[in-house]
Amino acid sequence: MSVPLLKIGAVLSTMAMVTNWMSQTLPSLVGLNGTVSRAGASEKITLFQSPEEGWQLYTSAQAPDGKCICTAVIPAQSTCSRDGRSRELRQLMEKVQNVSQSMEVLELRTYRDLQYVRSMETLMRSLDARLRAADGSLSAKSFQELKGRMTELLPLSSVLEQYKADMRTIVRLREEVRNLSGSLAAIQEEMGAYGYEDLQQRVMALEARLHACAQKLGCGKLTGVSNPITVRAMGSRFGSWMTDTMAPSADSRVWYMDGYYKGRRVLEFRTLGDFIKGQNFIQHLLPQPWAGTGHVVYNGSLFYNKYQSNVVVKYHFRSRSVLVQRSLPGAGYNNTFPYSWGGFSDMDFMVDESGLWAVYTTNQNAGNIVVSRLDPHTLEVVRSWDTGYPKRSAGEAFMICGVLYVTNSHLAGAKVYFAYFTNTSSYEYTDVPFHNQYSHISMLDYNPRERALYTWNNGHQVLYNVTLFHVISTAGGP
């Protein structure tokens, strides 16, 4: 079956769902007893810990439930200074090295994805052959149902071809990085400035191409939220807990902030296991109290709303100091425009694959949600969007791949009801079920490193896995 000019949806976690259906539903319907074997142990790989301006990629070949998860966290590009050529060359060398290591991650991940899709193709052909052999033993209804299911799975062959093309692109990029690295090493050895600007442009171009490649392989549209996983029951009804979205996988520290206003005490647990057991933690006492529960930890710093103000504070954990604070222009505060549950939740900070965001409301926007991209160094607003969705009607919200997702309630029966796409300045209404087990969510944040939602639900710290649907063009279109 050919699929001309067709855009095939494929995401790794969706592949796992297909595998599950093929291994469980199909064999039972055709009278087969065969099963599909899957790797059960988590395999999380971190190739490096990069500097502030470098790349950080994390990947997991396959989770215990069969889902393949990959995450790319890519900071914004920066422009090198023309002063201090030796320092600049060293920075470029580090950047090229990081890009090279990132290419290795992408190559490994794409190769494994390719093998995964190939195994699905082989399984599909085998089941198709067995289906034909079992034709006479099936009722007409069962046969038509299975035939329809098999037809739905045939486009996987187009996805396989796209993965092959991705592999070829990655190999070419890797060769370019290798050549550029050699040129930089020669210049660094001579300590000269010849060809520096040209090399800088090549590094930036390679970063842009790798950024696009990682975004293609790592992002998608939210199509499902798993059942909740309760990690711990600790603290009051309201609060927040989180991990650093930019930390390497070896860094599994957990931060815990109980309460929604006037708090200053932040607990830092060494690992998730320590958090579960309530041991091995240190305490940070913030110089200024917080408001709400919309805090986020990003690249070693805590971003939060200063109590009784529209000021954003960036607190650095290692130095135990405030690096910068800035007023968010026009943002409401002090329960002027909170989420439906109140709790001084006027300002909510988030991190996704593309960086740091703030969700809030202004009088000028008539109480509708505003989403702004923030510079994590200066806290200046890079760009803002008016979503048109009333914030008081929202239970909570989170960002994934530049898309703001909003729940319609903080109580039982909530679902992901609204999505705003910042890349196209458009929106749509959604219907993604969201199981609110403890009936009162006061914090909901997406972690791009782990591809999971962190929630504080009525004194319980809870995790959700997400399923993203990734659209691949098989006709070379946009």
Side-chain angles (χ1 to χ4, degrees):
M1 175 181 179
S2 62
V3 192
L5 303 178
L6 182 64
K7 288 193 173 181
I8 309 297
V11 96
L12 305 181
S13 49
T14 304
M15 292 294 185
M17 296 171 62
V18 172
T19 307
N20 185 60
W21 178 83
M22 293 172 72
S23 63
Q24 297 181 19
T25 308
L26 265 176
S28 63
L29 286 173
V30 294
L32 303 176
N33 296 321
T35 59
V36 179
S37 62
R38 285 198 297 245
S42 174
E43 182 184 355
K44 197 155 193 175
I45 301 171
T46 301
L47 290 185
F48 61 92
Q49 180 176 352
S50 64
E52 188 173 12
E53 294 182 354
W55 292 78
Q56 296 185 353
L57 273 78
Y58 311 92
T59 181
S60 178
Q62 200 165 8
D65 60 355
K67 293 181 180 178
C68 293
I69 302 172
C70 58
T71 301
V73 181
I74 307 171
Q77 291 183 166
S78 59
T79 303
C80 295
S81 167
R82 292 182 178 268
D83 300 324
R85 291 304 173 93
S86 177
R87 177 179 58 83
E88 291 172 341
L89 284 171
R90 186 171 61 254
Q91 289 177 345
L92 277 178
M93 284 291 291
E94 291 174 351
K95 188 168 290 189
V96 170
Q97 182 182 9
N98 289 337
V99 171
S100 177
Q101 291 171 322
S102 300
M103 290 305 309
E104 292 179 15
V105 173
L106 283 177
E107 185 176 18
L108 176 63
R109 182 177 64 194
T110 305
Y111 174 78
R112 287 175 173 170
D113 296 346
L114 184 64
Q115 296 301 109
Y116 193 75
V117 176
R118 279 175 174 165
S119 68
M120 295 304 98
E121 184 182 45
T122 302
L123 178 62
M124 183 173 61
R125 289 175 179 172
S126 174
L127 288 174
D128 182 54
R130 295 190 182 187
L131 176 63
R132 294 176 185 277
D135 186 6
S137 62
L138 293 174
S139 66
K141 181 179 180 181
S142 297
F143 179 78
Q144 290 301 323
E145 179 183 351
L146 289 174
K147 186 177 180 181
R149 297 271 188 164
M150 291 298 299
T151 301
E152 292 175 4
L153 296 176
L154 283 176
L156 284 176
S157 59
S158 299
V159 176
L160 176 62
E161 293 304 315
Q162 182 61 44
Y163 273 119
K164 292 178 181 177
D166 288 342
M167 281 293 296
R168 291 192 292 269
T169 300
I170 290 174
V171 170
R172 288 195 299 269
L173 281 172
R174 186 181 60 182
E175 289 302 315
E176 291 184 41
V177 171
R178 184 177 299 167
N179 294 337
L180 181 57
S181 180
S183 300
L184 275 172
I187 289 181
Q188 188 177 42
E189 182 178 352
E190 297 178 4
M191 294 303 293
Y194 176 77
Y196 171 79
E197 286 77 10
D198 175 62
L199 288 169
Q200 179 185 359
Q201 292 301 318
R202 290 174 66 184
V203 170
M204 294 176 67
L206 282 170
E207 279 195 326
R209 292 170 65 185
L210 184 56
H211 179 281
C213 186
Q215 287 290 83
K216 176 181 178 182
L217 294 173
C219 269
K221 181 179 178 181
L222 179 70
T223 58
V225 177
S226 74
N227 286 325
I229 304 168
T230 301
V231 176
R232 189 178 182 190
M234 175 183 180
S236 64
R237 193 178 189 187
F238 313 96
S240 60
W241 71 296
M242 65 217 81
T243 59
D244 191 340
T245 59
M246 282 280 285
S249 60
D251 183 353
S252 59
R253 287 176 295 171
V254 175
W255 286 271
Y256 170 90
M257 301 168 69
D258 192 10
Y260 65 85
Y261 77 107
K262 296 176 67 174
R264 295 176 57 201
R265 181 171 172 259
V266 182
L267 299 185
E268 176 186 308
F269 292 85
R270 189 177 59 183
T271 66
L272 179 62
D274 289 332
F275 173 70
I276 293 173
K277 297 176 182 177
Q279 64 185 20
N280 295 327
F281 64 88
I282 60 175
Q283 177 177 291
H284 298 269
L285 194 62
L286 301 178
Q288 299 160 331
W290 72 69
T293 59
H295 330 299
V296 69
V297 175
Y298 181 57
N299 203 19
S301 294
L302 173 70
F303 296 80
Y304 70 95
N305 175 209
K306 179 183 175 182
Y307 179 60
Q308 290 189 328
S309 75
N310 62 2
V311 172
V312 186
V313 179
K314 178 181 180 180
Y315 175 84
H316 189 240
F317 285 116
R318 181 177 296 177
S319 64
R320 293 179 178 264
S321 63
V322 173
L323 297 184
V324 63
Q325 56 183 338
R326 182 182 295 274
S327 177
L328 199 56
Y333 62 94
N334 207 28
N335 266 341
T336 304
F337 298 113
Y339 288 124
S340 60
W341 64 274
F344 296 88
S345 57
D346 303 78
M347 297 168 63
D348 193 1
F349 303 104
M350 309 171 183
V351 170
D352 71 352
E353 291 78 359
S354 55
L356 178 65
W357 303 83
V359 169
Y360 57 99
T361 293
T362 68
N363 285 319
Q364 292 76 11
N365 294 91
N368 292 330
I369 291 178
V370 175
V371 55
S372 292
R373 176 80 179 273
L374 300 184
D375 184 316
H377 304 292
T378 65
L379 300 182
E380 293 179 338
V381 173
V382 178
R383 184 179 174 186
S384 295
W385 293 261
D386 183 351
T387 66
Y389 193 93
K391 192 162 185 289
R392 287 184 175 273
S393 298
E396 274 287 347
F398 55 92
M399 294 288 298
I400 299 180
C401 299
V403 180
L404 178 72
Y405 293 97
V406 181
T407 65
N408 62 345
S409 173
H410 63 283
L411 302 173
K415 62 182 178 180
V416 181
Y417 181 71
F418 178 85
Y420 186 87
F421 304 88
T422 59
N423 63 332
T424 59
S425 299
S426 61
Y427 70 89
E428 69 178 22
Y429 289 94
T430 61
D431 188 12
V432 180
F434 184 84
H435 181 41
N436 188 344
Q437 183 174 3
Y438 302 107
S439 303
H440 195 289
I441 290 177
S442 60
M443 170 257 176
L444 176 60
D445 259 337
Y446 172 70
N447 187 311
R449 185 183 74 167
E450 300 167 6
R451 189 150 287 178
L453 295 174
Y454 280 63
T455 68
W456 187 293
N457 195 337
N458 214 357
H460 297 78
Q461 292 73 50
V462 182
L463 289 174
Y464 295 84
N465 292 317
V466 298
T467 299
L468 302 182
F469 187 85
H470 176 206
V471 176
I472 298 176
S473 173
T474 61

